[in-house]
Amino acid sequence: MTMCNITLNGKKTKFLPGKTILENTRDHGVKIPVLCSHEALKPYGACRLCIVEIEEQGRKQIVTSCNSHVRDGMKIKTHSPRVQKIRKTLVELLLARTPEAAVEQQLARDIGVKATPYPEQGELCIMCGQCVRTCREIVGACALDFVHKGSKRSVAVPFFRDSKECIGCGSCVFVCPTGVVSMHDEISDVRGEPERIMDKWETRLPLQKCSSDGNVFATRRMLEHFARKHEVSEGFLETCSHCLRKGNTK
Amino acid sequence: MKIKKMQDLNKLKKSGEQQLFPSGIKITVGLATCGIARGADKVHDAFKKELQKQKVKATVVPVGCSGWCSREPIVNIIIPRMPKITLGDVSEDDIPGIVRNLKNRHIPESKILYRTDAEENIADGRVRKYASASQAATSGKIPAYGTLPLFKKQKKIALRNCGLINPADIQEYVARGGFKAAYSAVTGMKPEKIITEVQRSGLRGRGGAGFPVGKKWEMARQAEGKKKYIICNADEGDPGAYMDRSILEGDPFSVLEGMIIAAFSIGASEGYIYVRGEYPLAVKQVTKAILQAKRSGLLGRNMFGTDFSFNVNVEKGAGAFVCGEETALIASIEGYSGEPVPRPPYPVEKGLWGLPTCINNVETLANIPVVLSRGGTWFSRIGTGKSKGTKIFSLVGAVERVGLVEVPMGISLKEIVYDIGGGIAGGRKLKAVQTGGPSGGCIPKRLADISVDYESLTKAGSIMGSGGMIVMDDRTCMVDVAKYFMSFLKDESCGKCLPCREGTQAVFEILDRITRGRGRTKDIEQLKDVCEAMSQASMCALGKTAANPVLSTLRYFGKEYDEHIKKRRCSAGVCSALIRFSINADKCIGCEACRKACPCEAVSGKPRKMHKISVKKCIKCRACYEVCPVKAVEIR
Ligand SMILES: Cc1cc2nc3c(=O)[nH]c(=O)nc-3n(C[C@H](O)[C@H](O)[C@H](O)COP(=O)(O)O)c2cc1C
Ligand code: SF4
Ligand code: FES
C-alpha cells in the first residue's frame, strides 16, 4: 500500500491511508485524548476531544481525528495552541456535567484542568454512547437508545420499563467507562428463581442453570439470542463454558 | 388525462386561464395559515353563503398568502374588464355589504388596499391585463399594486403564484406557465445541460448554507448508486419564519416541478418532501398536489412519454429543529431518531439508505422552473456578484407592515425595514435587525445600509439563514435577545456532541445570570471561550452556528453587557431583576388607573393626588406602565 506523506506536529512521517488520523497517530506514539472512541466500535464523533488541526493546500481546519481519514500531504497538529484551548474548554464543560466521574477527573488532570468554571450539574453519565453502540453494533440486541434532547439527553430502554429487547448480557456494564451502568443477580422474591437485574434499565431476566453443574451462568434470553445469532442448537448453550471446557455435557 | 405532448399541456393551460381570468365575477380569499389565523376561513364561508342568499353569481376560490400578512384576511375581487381589487382586514360582517354592491359592479372603498391592472407572469415574462388603461384610470384614487411601497421593491420569483392561484388546482398552475420547464427539460434537454444552466444562474441553496445548487446537482449526478433520491427540505424550524410554509400552502406545484427537474438532472427516481408535522395545511396541499400531478401523468411512470419515471412521497417530521439538518433529516426518514452524523460522507455520496441523495430547500426548488424557463443568464442578472436572484424574508417584529417579502439580493436592510416594512411600529426607533433564525446574528442600526446578500451578512457576524428577519426597536435588551435564542438552541440541540450540548447550556446559564444582575466581569471571557469551542468543535451546523447570537450582540452591543454586569442596569427596561418602576410626580394626574391595574397592591395614592409605587411589593409585571394614560410610570 502506498503510504501518505504527512507532517505530524512539524515532523515528516508516513501514515497508512486506510486508517483514521487517530489510529495513525496512536501507532506513532502520539497521545490524543478520547472519550467516545472504542476500538471495537464504529467512530461516533460525539465527544469532540480528539480534535486536531489539519492543513491542506493552505486551508486550516479543525477536525475530529477518530473519524477523519488521512490524505497525502496533510499537515497535522495534535496539540496546537488553538486545539489545546478548545480541548480545555470542552473538558471544563464536561467536568461541570459529571464532576464525580473518575474518567473525567483523570482526563482533567492529564490536560491540566483543576476545576471547572461552569455550574456543576452532578450527572454521572458522560454521554459517550458506548453502551448504546455496543448493544447495537456488537450484541445486535438494540435494546438501548438515547432519549430526550439537549442536556436532558440520557440513555434508556423503551418507555423506561422492563425491556423485552434487553437480553441481560451485561456488555453495557462491561463497556461503560464511568461505572454508572450496573447489574446484579439475585433470587426473585416472587418466583424464588435466580434472576439478573439490570439496575439502570429496570429489567429482570431469569437465569439459566448449567445442565451439568447446576450453577447459574447466563440469562436465558441471552442464550436464546446467541443461539439464534450463531445458529447453534439451543441445547449446546445450556451448559456453562466451564463445564463445556471440561467436556461435561449432557 | 395524462399529459404526453405539448398540446396536452396547452389544453390544460387554456382551461386554467379561463379560471384565472373568468368571464364572470370571481372572489378569492387568502386561505394560508396566516389568513386562517385571522379568520379568513370564516370570510370564505360567509361569501359562499351570502352569494347564494342574495342570488349573486360569482365563484369563490381559496388562494395562498399574498404577503401582506398583517392585513389578513385578504380578499381579491375580479370583475371582468375591471382592475382586480384587493381588500384587507375583511371580516364576516363586511360580506353582506360587499356582495350587495357586487350586483352593480361596485366595490366599497373602505377596505380596499390596492388594485391590479395587469400582472406579469415571471415564468414567461408575459403581461396579462385585467383592464385596459382607460378602464384602470377610472379607478381613481385606489393605489396600483406596483406603486405601493410594500411591493415596489419586491420581486416575486419563488412566490410568483402565491395568493394568485388556487393551490389545489393544477390547471391554474399550468396557466401560469407551470410544468413547461419540466416538459422541456425531460423531453428535450440533456441532464448535463440543465445542470450547466442552473450553474449559470448562480442560484444558491436557500435553506441556510447557501451552497451552489448547480454544483450540488453535479456532484449528485456523478455519484454512483443503484438508485438516487431527491429530498425537499420543508422542515422550517426557525421560530418566526414561514417562507417555506407559504410556498407549500400557496403553490405546491412549483416545488414539485422543481423536484422533477432536479430528479431528472441527477438521475433520481424517487423523491421525499420532509415537512414538519406542525404544518398540517402544507401537508394537505402537497399531498393533494402529488395526487393531481400523478393523475395528469406529471409524476409516475414514463413521464411525458419518455422513459423517465419519478415519484414523490410526503414524510412528516415531529418538530425537532435539528431535523432540518440534512443528516438528521435522513436519519428521521429512515426511522431513527433525528440526530446528525458526521460528514463526510456527504448525502450526495451516501444519503438516504446509503444511496446518493440530493437535499434542497423548498424555496430553492420553487426557483428552479423559472431558472430554466427564463434561462440562467436572465436569473444571474438579478442580485449581486455572488448572491443571485431573490430571497424571501419573513419580516416580523417591531415593524409597521409585518409580512412575507421577496426581494432581490443586494437590497439594503434599510430599504426592507423602512420602505417595504413601513418603518418601526408605534413611531419608535430601530435598534437592530436579527437575521438568519436562531443561529443568526443581530445587525445594529448603524449598519442598516448593509447589502442583504450572503457575503455581507456573514461579514457582519450574522447569516442569511433561511430568511427570518426580526426587527427590534429601542425597547429591546440585547442580552435578553441573546438569552432567548440560546434558550431555544439549548432545548433544540440534539445533545449528541459535547460542545453543543454542554456549551449551549453553559452559555444560557451565564446569560441568565447576567440578566438577573448576578453577572461577573469574567463572564464575558467565559462566554467567548465556550462560543469558540462550540463553533470550532461541534459536529453539525447547529452547534457550529449557535454562538452567533451571543458573538454578534457582544460585538455590537458590548456596552449593554457591561452595563448589566457592572452597573446592574438594563437601560432597555426589560430585565426585571434590574429595573425599578416609579411614578413621575410632574406627569401623574392621579387617575388611579395604575392603582387599579396593579395585581399586588403596590401602588398607593388618593384620587387626583400623586401615586406612588412600593418597591418592596412591586413584582415588575408592567401593568401600571402599560395602563398609564399620560406615561407617568417610568422604568429605570
Ligand atoms: C440545525 C439546522 C437546521 C436546519 N433547518 C433547515 C430547514 O428547516 N430547512 C432547510 O431547508 N434547511 C435547513 N437546514 C439546512 C440543511 O441542512 C441543508 O443545508 C439544506 O436543506 C440544503 O438545501 P439548499 O442547498 O437548497 O439550501 C438546517 C441546517 C441545520 C444545521
Ligand atoms: S452540534 Fe448540536 S445538534 Fe449538532 S450533533 Fe452536536 S449536539 Fe447534535
Ligand atoms: S473520540 Fe473522536 S469525537 Fe470522541
Side-chain angles (χ1 to χ4, degrees):
Chain A
M1 203 188 309
T2 42
M3 303 283 281
C4 290
N5 295 302
I6 299 288
T7 314
L8 176 63
N9 296 331
K11 281 196 213 98
K12 288 215 161 25
T13 174
K14 292 200 191 296
F15 271 14
L16 274 166
K19 283 187 173 182
T20 63
I21 297 182
L22 182 68
E23 287 164 330
N24 271 296
T25 46
R26 238 183 223 156
D27 295 347
H28 280 70
V30 174
K31 210 178 154 203
I32 297 176
V34 296
L35 263 190
C36 68
S37 141
H38 188 293
E39 59 248 26
L41 300 169
K42 286 188 208 144
Y44 185 53
C47 75
R48 319 301 283 178
L49 289 174
C50 68
I51 48 167
V52 295
E53 199 170 323
I54 59 168
E55 191 181 331
E56 280 177 294
Q57 279 125 30
R59 236 183 99 230
K60 280 188 189 172
Q61 216 185 329
I62 292 208
V63 299
T64 41
S65 59
C66 69
N67 57 8
S68 300
H69 283 267
V70 289
R71 279 178 296 269
D72 199 51
M74 231 182 209
K75 287 183 192 157
I76 302 168
K77 284 185 190 159
T78 56
H79 290 77
S80 73
R82 195 157 145 231
V83 164
Q84 295 275 66
K85 183 166 175 235
I86 297 169
R87 212 178 265 152
K88 177 169 166 264
T89 309
L90 294 182
V91 169
E92 286 171 349
L93 284 169
L94 192 61
L95 196 58
R97 178 191 168 87
T98 52
E100 304 292 325
V103 264
E104 178 51 31
Q105 287 167 348
Q106 181 59 45
L107 198 68
R109 271 197 296 276
D110 291 349
I111 244 170
V113 170
K114 290 202 185 68
T116 177
Y118 307 107
E120 291 193 356
Q121 296 160 42
E123 295 280 342
L124 295 169
C125 167
I126 56 168
M127 287 286 129
C128 66
Q130 293 192 31
C131 51
V132 176
R133 291 181 291 144
T134 304
C135 187
R136 184 180 300 162
E137 290 173 26
I138 311 280
V139 181
C142 299
L144 303 176
D145 211 334
F146 294 99
V147 291
H148 305 311
K149 290 186 289 192
S151 61
K152 297 198 184 71
R153 184 179 169 97
S154 62
V155 178
V157 285
F159 309 109
F160 310 95
R161 60 170 186 236
D162 200 86
S163 162
K164 294 201 170 51
E165 285 77 22
C166 175
I167 57 169
C169 68
S171 302
C172 45
V173 179
F174 173 76
V175 79
C176 174
T178 66
V180 40
V181 189
S182 63
M183 64 182 191
H184 68 277
D185 296 349
E186 65 179 30
I187 304 292
S188 158
D189 294 344
V190 191
R191 275 165 291 190
E193 294 281 330
E195 278 185 336
R196 169 162 299 171
I197 289 124
M198 306 302 296
D199 303 316
K200 205 166 150 56
W201 317 134
E202 326 231 340
T203 298
R204 306 177 145 257
L205 303 117
L207 285 162
Q208 173 75 37
K209 281 192 186 125
C210 173
S211 60
S212 175
D213 65 9
N215 291 331
V216 293
F217 68 100
T219 69
R220 225 167 272 153
R221 210 185 281 162
M222 168 180 162
L223 295 172
E224 286 158 14
H225 176 86
F226 284 109
R228 230 177 298 125
K229 192 168 169 183
H230 299 293
E231 292 178 1
V232 292
S233 69
E234 259 175 58
F236 181 73
L237 292 166
E238 272 169 22
T239 314
C240 71
S241 53
H242 202 66
C243 294
L244 277 177
R245 224 171 288 129
K246 285 198 243 157
N248 297 346
T249 46
K250 276 225 172 121
Chain B
M1 181 188 73
K2 299 253 182 214
I3 311 280
K4 288 254 157 71
K5 301 220 166 59
M6 201 62 203
Q7 291 106 290
D8 305 335
L9 206 57
N10 281 336
K11 241 188 247 162
L12 211 58
K13 186 173 174 171
K14 276 251 156 58
S15 50
E17 274 170 351
Q18 275 159 15
Q19 280 170 218
L20 287 183
F21 298 89
S23 50
I25 298 173
K26 174 175 161 184
I27 296 163
T28 71
V29 185
L31 275 187
T33 299
C34 46
I36 293 173
R38 304 221 346 145
D41 46 347
K42 294 197 188 93
V43 168
H44 175 264
D45 296 348
F47 263 121
K48 284 207 146 163
K49 234 199 254 154
E50 203 57 39
L51 286 168
Q52 215 170 32
K53 199 166 136 201
Q54 298 195 29
K55 301 205 172 57
V56 177
K57 256 187 96 175
T59 48
V60 185
V61 177
V63 294
C65 160
S66 54
W68 201 342
C69 307
S70 51
R71 301 303 290 273
E72 293 276 6
I74 287 179
V75 168
N76 287 296
I77 300 182
I78 301 162
I79 303 175
R81 293 175 307 282
M82 268 177 72
K84 177 167 84 174
I85 300 292
T86 304
L87 313 174
D89 295 311
V90 180
S91 77
E92 272 175 282
D93 304 339
D94 302 329
I95 315 297
I98 295 175
V99 172
R100 207 171 308 124
N101 279 295
L102 270 184
K103 290 183 197 162
N104 317 320
R105 294 172 58 95
H106 176 72
I107 299 163
E109 271 180 29
S110 63
K111 302 250 159 161
I112 295 183
L113 294 176
Y114 55 88
R115 68 170 210 269
T116 313
D117 302 335
E119 243 156 37
E120 189 201 352
N121 182 3
I122 202 99
D124 55 19
R126 279 221 292 272
V127 176
R128 199 114 185 200
K129 282 185 183 148
Y130 282 102
S132 69
S134 59
Q135 286 158 339
T138 60
S139 308
K141 301 188 296 284
I142 304 170
Y145 174 80
T147 63
L148 281 180
L150 170 63
F151 297 115
K152 210 162 149 186
K153 295 195 169 168
Q154 291 199 47
K155 187 167 183 75
K156 299 201 174 189
I157 298 178
L159 290 175
R160 59 192 176 279
N161 297 325
C162 283
L164 291 182
I165 65 167
N166 178 355
D169 191 335
I170 196 165
Q171 300 180 43
E172 297 196 3
Y173 177 70
V174 174
R176 296 272 300 163
F179 287 113
K180 216 176 146 187
Y183 178 87
S184 321
V186 175
T187 59
M189 282 172 91
K190 282 225 162 67
E192 291 77 10
K193 174 93 197 318
I194 303 172
I195 293 175
T196 313
E197 205 55 39
V198 174
Q199 274 171 335
R200 188 173 297 142
S201 76
L203 176 65
R204 292 166 67 172
R206 301 294 191 239
F211 193 82
V213 180
K215 197 165 163 196
K216 196 187 273 182
W217 288 14
E218 192 179 18
M219 284 154 69
R221 166 130 206 107
Q222 282 161 0
E224 275 176 37
K226 63 179 195 296
K227 189 175 174 181
K228 289 181 195 175
Y229 293 97
I230 165 99
I231 296 177
C232 167
N233 189 344
D235 195 49
E236 196 166 56
D238 298 10
Y242 55 105
M243 299 77 50
D244 297 347
R245 186 189 75 205
S246 272
I247 297 179
L248 288 179
E249 289 178 353
D251 193 16
F253 290 107
S254 65
V255 181
L256 284 186
E257 188 178 2
M259 287 180 82
I260 294 169
I261 297 169
F264 179 74
S265 311
I266 65 171
S269 55
E270 198 173 350
Y272 282 87
I273 300 181
Y274 185 88
V275 49
R276 59 189 304 205
E278 293 96 321
Y279 282 180
L281 184 58
V283 172
K284 192 174 127 195
Q285 297 293 31
V286 279
T287 313
K288 261 192 203 165
I290 290 172
L291 255 169
Q292 280 194 38
K294 272 188 186 154
R295 245 183 252 137
S296 308
L298 294 166
L299 278 179
R301 289 179 144 275
N302 301 100
M303 286 168 57
F304 307 119
T306 67
D307 56 8
F308 172 64
S309 303
F310 178 59
N311 259 319
V312 176
N313 313 296
V314 177
E315 196 69 44
K316 278 188 281 181
F321 175 64
V322 73
C323 283
E325 196 280 338
E326 45 193 31
T327 59
L329 188 156
I330 288 173
S332 170
I333 295 183
E334 288 175 346
Y336 295 101
S337 47
E339 282 171 19
V341 291
R343 300 178 308 175
Y346 289 91
V348 283
E349 308 150 19
K350 260 182 115 180
L352 188 61
W353 320 114
L355 295 166
T357 304
C358 174
I359 302 185
N360 278 124
N361 164 262
V362 171
E363 188 183 334
T364 313
L365 290 164
N367 270 299
I368 293 292
V370 181
V371 168
L372 277 206
S373 63
R374 299 296 293 267
T377 317
W378 174 87
F379 192 87
S380 71
R381 285 200 205 106
I382 309 164
T384 66
K386 283 186 172 166
S387 305
K388 299 297 187 190
T390 57
K391 177 78 195 82
I392 311 177
F393 290 99
S394 54
L395 184 61
V396 297
V399 67
E400 195 63 55
R401 282 189 287 268
V402 166
L404 209 60
V405 304
E406 182 171 355
V407 288
M409 300 265 191
I411 192 172
S412 76
L413 200 55
K414 215 177 188 168
E415 285 173 283
I416 299 184
V417 173
Y418 289 101
D419 299 343
I420 297 176
I424 309 302
R428 302 206 66 100
K429 280 195 222 107
L430 173 67
K431 183 166 186 179
V433 179
Q434 206 274 351
T435 73
S439 36
C442 296
I443 296 165
K445 185 187 177 182
R446 67 187 158 84
L447 295 185
D449 282 321
I450 188 174
S451 148
V452 175
D453 59 67
Y454 289 100
E455 286 70 31
S456 308
L457 289 177
T458 308
K459 224 175 104 201
S462 186
I463 53 170
M464 176 79 78
S466 59
M469 189 172 276
I470 305 171
V471 180
M472 299 186 266
D473 67 15
D474 50 350
R475 283 176 304 179
T476 317
C477 165
M478 300 315 280
V479 186
D480 184 64
V481 165
K483 182 175 109 173
Y484 165 76
F485 285 114
M486 203 44 75
S487 141
F488 176 85
L489 291 167
K490 86 169 164 57
D491 288 343
E492 291 300 332
S493 156
C494 80
K496 182 172 181 173
C497 77
L498 191 164
C500 173
R501 179 187 65 235
E502 307 301 333
T504 51
Q505 180 71 31
V507 168
F508 171 78
E509 280 172 27
I510 296 172
L511 291 175
D512 189 50
R513 189 158 80 204
I514 297 176
T515 59
R516 287 176 197 278
R518 286 194 245 116
R520 297 174 296 213
T521 329
K522 56 178 195 237
D523 279 352
I524 302 292
E525 220 36 59
Q526 280 183 15
L527 280 177
K528 287 184 182 159
D529 284 349
V530 183
C531 284
E532 186 190 8
M534 283 197 297
S535 42
Q536 296 294 328
S538 290
M539 178 189 286
C540 85
L542 193 157
K544 282 197 167 102
T545 56
N548 285 349
V550 180
L551 293 178
S552 74
T553 47
L554 269 175
R555 175 167 160 192
Y556 297 119
F557 301 95
K559 274 197 195 130
E560 251 170 82
Y561 281 84
D562 280 350
E563 187 193 42
H564 279 71
I565 294 171
K566 290 190 190 133
K567 299 199 189 126
R568 307 259 185 256
R569 269 195 58 185
C570 170
S571 51
V574 173
C575 300
S576 58
L578 304 180
I579 53 175
R580 256 190 192 191
F581 290 77
S582 62
I583 294 173
N584 184 330
D586 298 337
K587 286 190 186 163
C588 178
I589 52 169
C591 72
E592 291 194 277
C594 53
R595 194 174 63 77
K596 286 177 190 149
C598 178
C600 43
E601 298 179 345
V603 187
S604 57
K606 295 255 151 55
R608 284 179 234 297
K609 295 263 158 55
M610 146 102 188
H611 281 52
K612 258 191 155 165
I613 299 175
S614 149
V615 176
K616 250 198 201 139
K617 287 186 186 162
C618 174
I619 57 162
K620 294 163 190 172
C621 71
R622 308 179 89 88
C624 54
Y625 180 80
E626 304 291 345
V627 86
C628 178
V630 292
K631 296 205 166 22
V633 180
E634 290 173 349
I635 302 177
R636 270 186 300 135

